[in-house]
Amino acid sequence: MMTILIDQPEFGVEAGFNKQVDNVEKELVLDGGFMVPQTNSFGHTFRDYHVESERQKGVENFYKTNHINQTYDFVKRMREEYGKLNKVEMSIWECCELLNDVVDESDPDLDEPQIEHLLQTAEAIRRDYPDEDWLHLTGLIHDLGKVLLLPSFGELPQWAVVGDTYPVGCAFDKSIVHHKYFEENPDYHNPVYNTKYGVYSEGCGLNNVMMSWGHDDYMYMVAKENNTTLPSAALFVIRYHSFYALHRLGAYKHLMNEEDVENLKWLEIFNKYDLYSKSKVRIDVEKVKPYYISLIEKYFPAKLRW
């Protein structure tokens, strides 16, 4: 079995806004009945970057590369290439197993395989929202797009797979982590792309906005093009769970439509579980597998094109 190490940069809200997260954590303690754990899997408080300070330089270098290269044209090419869905044919659970040995060494809260995080997220949601089975499944599959790092999917560089996401084709909001590096992005100086609305219009809907390329947008495309019956809120969560500038800092709301506003409520619920379910509560995979297989069969075809 091959072990794949993802040197994933911390999300911007995690990499430089820990005070803000501390405040959010206090607000979330009893929301939905979910008790936010006091410590992560290392016994540290969540998002404590004092103990992770040696990683900060690597994080900054990652975002420099990311911000320079994520242009409107690059995203368009990636969406056209990966939109063909001609890399692999497999089931959702087979994809989960592909990530079984993936460990994100740069995540300060987690040292377990990715599938552990997926199941921790899904099971925490299931406990608090037992009637929303679509949200349980969303928790399981939200990070499956990280397969883009694998050779059979093109082995994309990390700056094109992980990290915060944001719109391209309009001005880069100053709330985005390490914003200064956008000055080296060609779009930053292009009058077609560097205004508040750019190529978009007020209230056009996020579905009409191109996001920086990564695992979020790829998994959204896989689910949508394979005709999943998951509700629009699930697709919204999958596509925007790394869009911290929106759901944590309130940027880009001028591009949202009414459906986005409703779906954002579910994303804000989901993000709490994504962020704070990383603890030493181990999941018995074989015990919960039948339940998630039943959900996969309910919402997805047996085999998907990836």
Side-chain angles (χ1 to χ4, degrees):
M1 185 76 73
M2 177 176 63
T3 298
I4 303 151
L5 299 178
I6 299 183
D7 184 18
Q8 178 176 336
E10 290 80 3
F11 295 138
V13 70
E14 302 165 3
F17 302 98
N18 49 310
K19 288 183 180 178
Q20 200 162 351
V21 173
D22 288 342
N23 292 334
V24 172
E25 181 173 330
K26 291 174 185 175
E27 294 170 5
L28 294 174
V29 170
L30 293 175
D31 182 13
F34 177 66
M35 293 296 294
V36 174
Q38 297 302 307
T39 60
N40 61 22
S41 60
F42 295 109
H44 301 137
T45 55
F46 283 93
R47 305 304 158 197
D48 185 349
Y49 279 84
H50 297 295
V51 298
E52 300 298 326
S53 59
E54 70 277 6
R55 293 180 181 167
Q56 294 306 309
K57 186 174 181 181
V59 172
E60 185 163 350
N61 286 338
F62 165 89
Y63 278 110
K64 179 176 181 178
T65 308
N66 173 279
H67 291 354
I68 292 172
N69 290 287
Q70 290 274 5
T71 65
Y72 187 86
D73 287 343
F74 168 76
V75 172
K76 188 176 179 181
R77 288 200 311 273
M78 289 296 100
R79 286 183 62 83
E80 288 173 355
E81 168 63 24
Y82 284 91
K84 297 173 184 175
L85 301 179
N86 60 0
K87 306 299 181 187
V88 177
E89 187 172 295
M90 62 181 171
S91 70
I92 289 287
W93 191 262
E94 285 173 326
C95 189
C96 290
E97 290 181 332
L98 259 188
L99 296 186
N100 200 30
D101 282 348
V102 173
V103 178
D104 178 353
E105 288 196 327
S106 72
D107 190 325
D109 297 331
L110 187 66
D111 64 349
E112 305 296 349
Q114 290 288 306
I115 197 170
E116 291 270 350
H117 164 56
L118 299 180
L119 285 169
Q120 283 177 348
T121 303
E123 284 292 282
I125 294 170
R126 182 183 177 189
R127 193 166 56 243
D128 288 354
Y129 295 87
D131 298 328
E132 308 292 346
D133 67 356
W134 64 270
L135 195 58
H136 313 164
L137 183 56
T138 303
L140 179 71
I141 69 174
H142 75 283
D143 272 346
L144 293 188
K146 288 180 181 179
V147 293
L148 288 172
L149 291 159
L150 303 178
S152 55
F153 290 83
E155 203 168 10
L156 291 181
Q158 301 200 2
W159 61 263
V161 179
V162 296
D164 283 25
T165 58
Y166 44 84
V168 294
C170 61
F172 301 111
D173 192 86
K174 291 189 174 169
S175 66
I176 301 170
V177 64
H178 295 303
H179 177 273
K180 62 185 177 182
Y181 293 118
F182 285 120
E183 294 180 17
E184 299 180 56
N185 184 307
D187 291 358
Y188 186 87
H189 304 283
N190 187 332
V192 176
Y193 301 135
N194 65 6
T195 63
K196 179 179 180 179
Y197 293 100
V199 298
Y200 312 114
S201 59
E202 184 164 6
C204 65
L206 293 179
N207 194 47
N208 295 306
V209 173
M210 285 218 296
M211 299 294 295
S212 56
W213 179 251
H215 73 279
D216 310 58
D217 210 26
Y218 177 58
M219 189 58 208
Y220 161 78
M221 289 172 62
V222 169
K224 186 172 182 291
E225 296 306 315
N226 280 281
N227 299 314
T228 181
T229 55
L230 283 169
S232 67
L235 294 175
F236 189 93
V237 167
I238 291 167
R239 193 179 191 195
Y240 304 114
H241 69 269
S242 301
F243 189 6
Y244 279 83
L246 171 70
H247 61 75
R248 282 308 183 81
L249 303 171
Y252 296 104
K253 288 191 173 180
H254 56 281
L255 299 177
M256 295 171 63
N257 60 23
E258 290 183 10
E259 184 178 16
D260 293 331
V261 173
E262 288 303 308
N263 287 338
L264 181 60
K265 297 173 184 176
W266 284 109
L267 178 54
E268 289 168 344
I269 289 170
F270 173 85
N271 184 250
K272 171 190 58 172
Y273 295 91
D274 185 21
L275 205 57
Y276 295 110
S277 62
K278 302 171 184 176
S279 67
K280 280 296 184 184
V281 178
R282 301 303 297 273
I283 302 296
D284 184 337
V285 176
E286 291 307 311
K287 183 177 179 181
V288 300
K289 180 178 176 179
Y291 174 69
Y292 288 100
I293 290 292
S294 72
L295 294 189
I296 292 168
E297 291 174 348
K298 178 178 178 180
Y299 289 106
F300 282 96
K303 293 285 185 180
L304 284 73
R305 294 175 295 112
W306 298 76

